[in-house]
Amino acid sequence: MVCFPGDSTTKPLCTRLFASGVCVKTISPNSSQISSVDWHVNGTTLLISYRGNNNTLLDMRMQRVLHRLRGHQNTCKNFIRAKFGPSSLVVGGSEDALVYLWDANSGAVVETLAGHDGVVYDAVWSPSQQMLASCGDEGTIRTWSTVPASA
C-alpha cells in the first residue's frame, strides 16, 4: 500500500499498487542465475540478462525466445545487466571493458563503446537526452553522446 500525505484541505490518499497482489506467472527459462530483466515499451518483449554470456529476448505472448544476444563476455563471476534503449536498441555491459549495443530485431551487435578499464556492469539511456551512461568496475561512470558524428 502506498500513502500520499494530505494537506490542510485534503485527507491522505492510500492506494494499493497491485489490485490482487497475486503472482500471475512464474518463468524459469534457464538454469543460470538471472541478473536483470527489462520490459520493452511494446509490453510483450522481455529482456533477460543471465550470468554466463547470455542476454535473451523473450516473447511473453508466445513464450518463445526471439534472440540470444551474443558478443559480450560475462562469466558467472559478475552481475552484468542489459536494458532496452530507444527504438530497437539494447545496451549492456561486458567483462571485456566494452559497452555493447545490439539490434533487438536481429540480435546483431550494432556497435561497441570502449573507455572503461575493467568490467562494465550496467548502462542506461537517458529518456530525455541523446545520452547513455555506463558504470564500470574501476569505479567510474561514463556518459556517451548518442548524437551521430557529422560526416
Side-chain angles (χ1 to χ4, degrees):
M1 182 160 305
V2 177
C3 293
F4 301 94
D7 58 26
S8 60
T9 61
T10 61
K11 293 182 179 179
L13 170 66
C14 293
T15 185
R16 287 185 67 139
L17 292 178
F18 298 95
S20 67
V22 175
C23 177
V24 176
K25 182 177 277 264
T26 299
I27 303 166
S28 300
N30 192 319
S31 60
S32 298
Q33 291 178 315
I34 297 170
S35 58
S36 69
V37 294
D38 192 26
W39 280 110
H40 189 272
V41 294
N42 67 15
T44 61
T45 306
L46 191 65
L47 170 61
I48 306 168
S49 297
Y50 298 95
R51 290 176 74 181
N53 277 353
N54 191 353
N55 291 326
T56 300
L57 294 171
L58 183 67
D59 181 329
M60 292 298 292
R61 293 174 299 179
M62 304 300 288
Q63 292 293 297
R64 66 180 180 91
V65 172
L66 298 171
H67 296 289
R68 295 192 195 288
L69 307 179
R70 306 282 189 203
H72 67 298
Q73 295 176 10
N74 183 11
T75 63
C76 291
K77 296 186 302 187
N78 296 298
F79 285 101
I80 295 176
R81 293 163 176 81
K83 293 186 176 70
F84 283 108
S87 185
S88 66
L89 290 176
V90 172
V91 62
S94 179
E95 290 177 350
D96 61 4
L98 298 173
V99 177
Y100 280 76
L101 287 85
W102 292 273
D103 179 350
N105 294 324
S106 69
V109 174
V110 175
E111 190 171 352
T112 58
L113 304 173
H116 285 280
D117 294 325
V119 176
V120 179
Y121 290 115
D122 202 1
V124 64
W125 297 95
S126 168
S128 61
Q129 298 181 33
Q130 293 181 317
M131 298 284 291
L132 172 70
S134 59
C135 63
D137 188 49
E138 76 277 18
T140 64
I141 297 170
R142 299 197 182 267
T143 58
W144 312 83
S145 172
T146 60
V147 176
S150 56

